[in-house]
């Protein structure tokens, strides 16, 4: 069924054209205040301005010319030229019956011109656990993908993971430290080093002493690990890597801790002027060389990215860590009920690495990439720094290294050329806005994007703690996403226990998971995505207000009517199966019905602007309208002539809430709470 706004828009626009001679949109919107009607057409004022006539007089002529009697009661002209519209009971009843007959889609049409839509979201890094910083991209992106899916578009999900660049070297170096800690020192020294560094962050001299000790130990271990030629690592590290696949599950927490150590060490070594021993290829053999300690991970990365037989063990280990990381992410995605799948939807930075030189060559051949201070840069028009100078989009550094910009250009070209995307949506935090603006501009300059292609950057704000600062643990660390979800589920157990203490333990656990995870997701969705919001377990788990528990309870409350029906000898299926008319006599019935038929409009608005809060707002309004209806209108004890219509309203409300929560927001519903 076409949206009501579309039906009215077409008819009224035709009438405007007929009486004014101009093609002007009717601008039909749901009425802001029900006392003025159900919908309002605001387009007459613009048309009147074009033909230089009085808008109210033109509105009266438009009303006289338009034929909408099969949809609305006689229209009313208000104010300077607004047209107020009220649906007829007959049209409203037919829409509800149409939703009833279409159990799968609730009467909502698929897109007339479906597109191939690529949605880029989540984007974790290898050898790191997902944290709260990944939550918003992951679930907002998933909701957008679900909306486009439901609307009939060909949706291709893309998880652009960070699995190349310096992460490559950091992963291998973390494995090396883990190996030395286990095989040589018999203790996780990297944990002690992390504590020492953390407790001396403000003491520059002590920090330098710690780094010297770490460097000396590193050199000693490195020089001791060789069999046939310098630095071959065949004595200790090689055998460790050979067995890594058999022990990785056991040592995974240690790998993550060692990676954290390497990452922190990389930060604090900058400017210390410490050197460390590594190796480089001579004419026919590997030879020792000293390099700045702060460059070690980049040196390892460069060696591994070149490839070759000498580095195959390390490359294989990196692949193993990559897969283990994605297994962890898969567990999180499963808990969040997110539709990303590995490996189907995973294309990380490493996937595009082989084509990065061609991206630079192509842009150079088009005269778009030029050298600036040794680096290759594109200068998209309209981007300047604070001094008014052209702002560079750097695609290759002076040392030949590629950057995120290069990888993102390669990914975008792949999505357009290979995936045949007509719309590409990136879901990241607002801090990356300039990067994507310049990325899109560079792609258009290169001729990869024309008027048929839509590129969109969907931004979001930060999740804050009660202090108004970025959400952290009590000790100031990053909150792991798994820990956040586990705590939400644990707190939700208290809600379930309060509501229904007599349920079996297994059922209570299942409900607690649905409520806890749902609360985290719904709380995020319910906020304007561009706004920062304060994370609060108490607010998101509240049983009143626009929260997941309230919505889940509203659904469970309707389902309880079905259970009660059996005890009152009411055969709901039979009564609904034979329903042919819907007498909607009570105001609460009509209010609920009018909200139900707007579900397609809510979905369209949420999809058009990539704003899940439009959908949560609608569902909350629907739940409140149902509550008023249920209070005012008996259902199971209603008179026989009224009961089928009220049962249908209950059924459609439950199905709409279930569809919105489960299918579009990925939030589980429960039959009991």
């Amino acid at each position: 069924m076409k949206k009501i706004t579309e039906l009215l828009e077409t008819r009224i626009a035709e009438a405007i054209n007929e009486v004014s001679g101009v093609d002007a949109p009717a601008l039909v919107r749901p009425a802001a205040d029900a006392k003025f009607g159900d919908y309002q057409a605001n387009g007459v004022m613009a048309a009147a301005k074009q033909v230089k006539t009085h808008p109210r007089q033109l509105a009266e002529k438009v009303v006289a010319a338009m034929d909408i009697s099969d949809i609305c009661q006689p229209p009313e002209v208000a104010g300077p030229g607004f047209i107020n519209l009220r649906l007829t009971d007959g049209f409203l009843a037919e829409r509800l019956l149409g939703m009833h007959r279409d159990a799968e889609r609730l009467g909502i049409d698929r897109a007339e011109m479906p597109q191939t839509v690529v949605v880029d979201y989540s984007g974790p890094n290898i050898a790191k656990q997902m944290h709260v910083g990944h939550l918003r991209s992951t679930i907002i992106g998933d909701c957008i993908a679900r909306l486009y899916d439901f609307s009939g578009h060909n949706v291709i999900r893309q998880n652009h993971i960070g699995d190349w660049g310096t992460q490559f070297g950091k992963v291998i170096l973390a494995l090396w430290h883990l190996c030395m800690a286990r095989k040589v020192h018999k203790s996780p020294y990297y944990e002690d080093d992390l504590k020492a560094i953390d407790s001396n962050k403000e003491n520059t001299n002590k920090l330098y002493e710690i780094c010297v000790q770490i460097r000396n130990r590193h050199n000693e271990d490195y020089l001791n690990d060789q069999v046939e030629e310098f630095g071959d690592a065949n004595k200790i590290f090689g055998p460790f890597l050979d067995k890594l696949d058999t022990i990785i599950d056991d040592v995974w927490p240690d790998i993550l801790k060692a990676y954290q150590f390497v990452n922190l060490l990389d930060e604090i070594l900058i400017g210390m002027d410490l050197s460390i021993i590594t190796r480089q290829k001579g004419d026919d053999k590997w030879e020792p060389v000293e390099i700045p300690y702060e460059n070690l991970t980049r040196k390892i990365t460069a060696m591994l990215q070149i490839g070759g037989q000498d580095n195959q063990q390390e490359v294989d280990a990196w692949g193993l860590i990559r897969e283990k990381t994605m297994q962890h992410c898969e567990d999180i995605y499963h808990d969040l009920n997110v539709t990303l799948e590995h490996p189907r939807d995973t294309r990380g930075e490493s996937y595009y690495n082989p084509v990065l030189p061609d991206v630079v060559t192509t842009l150079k051949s088009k005269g778009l990439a030029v050298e600036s201070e040794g680096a290759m840069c594109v200068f998209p028009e309209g981007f300047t720094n604070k001094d008014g100078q052209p702002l560079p989009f750097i695609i290759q550094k002076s040392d030949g290294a590629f950057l995120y910009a290069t990888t993102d250009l390669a990914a975008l070209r792949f999505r357009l050329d290979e995936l045949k995307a007509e719309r590409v949506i990136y879901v990241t935090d607002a801090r990356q806005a300039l990067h994507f603006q310049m990325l899109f501009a560079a792609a258009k300059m290169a001729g990869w994007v024309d008027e048929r292609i839509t590129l969109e950057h969907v931004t979001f704000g930060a999740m804050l703690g009660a202090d108004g600062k970025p959400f952290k643990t009590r000790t100031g660390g990053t909150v792991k996403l798994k820990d956040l979800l586990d705590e939400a589920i644990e707190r939700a157990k208290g809600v379930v226990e309060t509501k229904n203490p007599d349920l079996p333990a297994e059922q209570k656990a299942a409900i607690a998971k649905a409520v806890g995870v749902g609360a985290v997701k719904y709380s995020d969705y319910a906020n304007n995505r561009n706004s920062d919001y304060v994370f609060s377990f108490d607010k998101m788990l509240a049983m009143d207000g626009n929260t997941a528990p309230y919505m889940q309870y509203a659904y469970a409350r309707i389902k309880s009517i079905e259970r009660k029906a059996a005890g009152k000898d009411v055969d709901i299926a039979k009564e609904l199966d034979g329903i042919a008319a819907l007498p909607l006599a009570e105001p609460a019935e009509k209010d609920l019905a009018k909200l139900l038929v707007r579900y397609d409009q809510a979905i369209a608005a949420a999809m058009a602007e990539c704003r899940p809060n439009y959908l949560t707002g609608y569902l909350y309004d629907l739940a409140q309208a149902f509550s008023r209806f249920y209070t005012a209108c008996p259902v199971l004890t209603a008179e026989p002539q009224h009961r089928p219509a009220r049962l249908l309203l209950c059924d459609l409300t439950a199905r709409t809430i279930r569809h919105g929560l489960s299918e579009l927001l990925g939030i589980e519903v429960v039959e009991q709470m």
Side-chain angles (χ1 to χ4, degrees), residues 628-642:
R628 293 189 292 270
F629 155 78
Y630 192 62
T631 300
C633 305
V635 177
L636 297 179
T637 58
E639 296 294 325
Q641 68 270 27
H642 295 299

Side-chain angles (χ1 to χ4, degrees), residues 88-98 581-584 648:
T88 66
D89 290 350
F91 177 81
L92 186 58
E94 183 52 40
R95 296 292 289 198
L96 293 172
L97 290 172
L582 289 178
L584 302 173
L648 182 64

Side-chain angles (χ1 to χ4, degrees), residues 126-127 161 163 168 171-172 175 178 240-252 255-256 312-328 342:
I126 65 167
I161 64 172
D163 64 348
F168 204 160
V171 166
I172 301 305
L175 288 174
L178 174 62
F240 174 80
L241 292 180
D242 285 340
K243 296 180 180 179
L244 182 61
D245 62 334
T246 65
I247 63 171
I248 190 167
D249 288 337
D250 295 331
V251 302
W252 182 245
I255 292 173
L256 297 176
Q312 191 57 48
Q313 277 183 310
E314 286 85 349
V315 173
D316 291 344
W318 166 81
L320 190 62
I321 298 298
R322 183 182 186 275
E323 290 307 302
K324 181 63 181 178
T325 302
M326 294 313 299
Q327 287 177 20
H328 159 75
H342 177 73

Side-chain angles (χ1 to χ4, degrees), residues 564-575:
K564 293 175 182 176
K568 295 183 179 295
D569 296 324
V570 176
D571 189 335
I572 295 178
K574 184 177 180 180
E575 293 204 22

Side-chain angles (χ1 to χ4, degrees), residues 417-494:
D417 292 350
E418 302 299 325
L419 300 182
K420 307 301 181 186
E422 297 162 274
R423 179 182 293 267
V424 186
I425 301 173
Y426 295 83
V427 186
T428 77
D429 68 78
R431 292 173 297 178
Q432 298 185 48
L434 178 61
H435 168 78
F436 282 101
Q437 290 168 13
M438 298 186 76
L439 171 70
F440 298 165
K444 290 174 182 176
M445 291 169 64
W448 301 344
V449 181
D450 58 29
E451 66 278 356
R452 298 168 299 172
I453 306 297
T454 301
L455 304 178
E456 188 170 359
H457 181 209
V458 174
T459 59
F460 52 82
M463 182 191 296
L464 307 177
D467 58 359
K469 298 178 181 179
F471 191 52
K472 300 284 186 181
T473 63
R474 290 185 180 88
T475 58
T478 302
V479 179
K480 297 171 185 174
L481 194 45
K482 185 179 188 310
D483 292 344
L484 182 81
L485 298 178
D486 287 346
E487 183 172 354
I489 293 169
E490 189 62 33
R491 287 173 177 253
K493 288 179 181 177

Side-chain angles (χ1 to χ4, degrees), residues 534-611:
V534 175
F535 185 91
S536 167
F537 277 120
D538 291 339
K539 288 183 179 179
M540 67 177 56
L541 287 167
M543 288 300 300
D544 54 355
N546 191 13
T547 66
Y550 175 81
M551 294 305 308
Q552 289 164 319
Y553 181 68
Y555 175 79
R557 184 184 185 189
I558 302 172
K559 300 304 287 185
S560 71
I561 296 173
E562 296 179 6
R563 294 191 294 273
K564 293 175 182 176
K568 295 183 179 295
D569 296 324
V570 176
D571 189 335
I572 295 178
K574 184 177 180 180
E575 293 204 22
L576 292 183
D577 186 53
I579 196 166
L582 289 178
L584 302 173
E586 296 295 326
E589 292 176 312
K590 291 184 180 182
D591 289 345
L592 179 58
K594 289 173 181 178
L595 204 51
L596 281 166
V597 300
R598 290 186 187 176
Y599 184 42
D600 54 1
Q601 195 73 33
I603 292 174
M607 188 178 79
E609 298 193 32
C610 296
R611 293 189 182 276

